Amino acid sequence: MEKEIFKLAHITDTHYCKSYQGNMMEAAFAKGEHPEKRIRRMLQKAVNEKADAMIVSGDIVHEGCEEDYRAFRQLVTETVGDRMKVFYVCGNHDRKEAFCRGLEMECNSSSIDYVDYVKGYRIVVLDSAEEGKESGSIGEEQMQWLKKVLEKPYGNGTIITFHHPVTWNIPQLAMPVEDAFADI
């Protein structure tokens, strides 16, 4: 039996703000178009390509402001609608409480980890964001949770996503992970 085609769109580090006036990103966008237009084009491309799911893997908004999360969610809703599942992942610029409220997600802990399923694939979201730690981390409790999630194979496979890279050409920017994480 042939596997069904699965298309996954991935965007990251959008650093969205309704207005960049007065923040450190203002100069970067002063002469060009507002990033919202580029984000909308990326979202529309995912729709046009008939993606089954989209992962927005962190640093969704720049200042961690609830109003900006709401505006970003509205932008996604207007462009994507219900044509694909959207997975939101925390990054180092995201603020967890505002993230959950603004994106209208249920968040019951300080770590926003969850699992969902699309077209026979298991999508695992790990929250690697840690306040005050630019490079992020995956904690022991998260590793145990992940180990339990992955105990049994699922359908066509599993995609694990988080914001921070575990390898980087600038080592101090890579997220340090224990060997146990790789083993899992």
Side-chain angles (χ1 to χ4, degrees):
M1 186 169 119
E2 200 172 307
K3 283 186 183 179
E4 189 175 4
I5 292 175
F6 175 69
K7 288 187 177 184
L8 177 67
H10 176 234
I11 61 175
T12 189
D13 291 272
T14 52
H15 290 269
Y16 178 81
C17 290
K18 282 178 66 175
S19 171
Y20 291 91
Q21 187 172 4
N23 79 32
M24 66 183 277
M25 301 293 279
E26 182 176 10
F29 301 121
K31 294 183 180 169
E33 68 181 347
H34 191 282
E36 181 175 314
K37 290 180 181 179
R38 285 192 292 273
I39 294 167
R40 193 177 294 275
R41 281 196 304 270
M42 285 188 292
L43 295 170
Q44 188 59 54
K45 183 170 180 160
V47 169
N48 293 347
E49 294 287 331
K50 295 181 175 36
D52 298 296
M54 178 185 310
I55 295 173
V56 185
S57 64
D59 289 358
I60 295 168
V61 306
H62 187 67
E63 303 288 339
C65 171
E66 185 176 335
E67 181 181 331
D68 288 337
Y69 289 111
R70 287 191 191 288
F72 188 88
R73 185 177 185 283
Q74 182 63 33
L75 178 64
V76 171
T77 300
E78 288 171 1
T79 310
V80 173
D82 61 359
R83 290 174 278 214
M84 70 186 80
K85 279 195 175 188
V86 179
F87 297 86
Y88 295 107
V89 183
C90 262
N92 49 294
H93 280 262
D94 294 308
R95 299 295 166 259
K96 295 175 197 261
E97 285 185 34
F99 177 98
C100 293
R101 285 193 310 266
L103 296 173
E104 298 180 10
M105 294 177 60
E106 284 189 38
C107 304
N108 298 323
S109 72
S110 61
S111 183
I112 305 166
D113 305 315
Y114 60 99
V115 179
D116 207 341
Y117 306 87
V118 180
K119 281 186 106 170
Y121 287 88
R122 175 172 48 196
I123 311 293
V124 178
V125 174
L126 281 175
D127 178 357
S128 61
E130 185 178 341
E131 293 272 338
K133 189 169 183 178
E134 191 71 20
S135 61
S137 69
I138 301 291
E140 181 63 34
E141 190 175 311
Q142 288 175 288
M143 287 194 295
Q144 293 309 313
W145 174 81
L146 179 62
K147 187 175 184 177
K148 186 172 177 76
V149 168
L150 299 177
E151 279 178 347
K152 293 181 182 170
Y154 181 81
N156 296 326
T158 298
I159 297 168
I160 302 172
T161 183
F162 44 89
H163 177 68
H164 296 86
V166 294
T167 61
W168 190 280
N169 60 349
I170 305 169
Q172 62 270 28
L173 294 181
M175 178 174 62
V177 293
E178 296 178 26
D179 291 341
F181 182 69
D183 292 342
I184 293 170

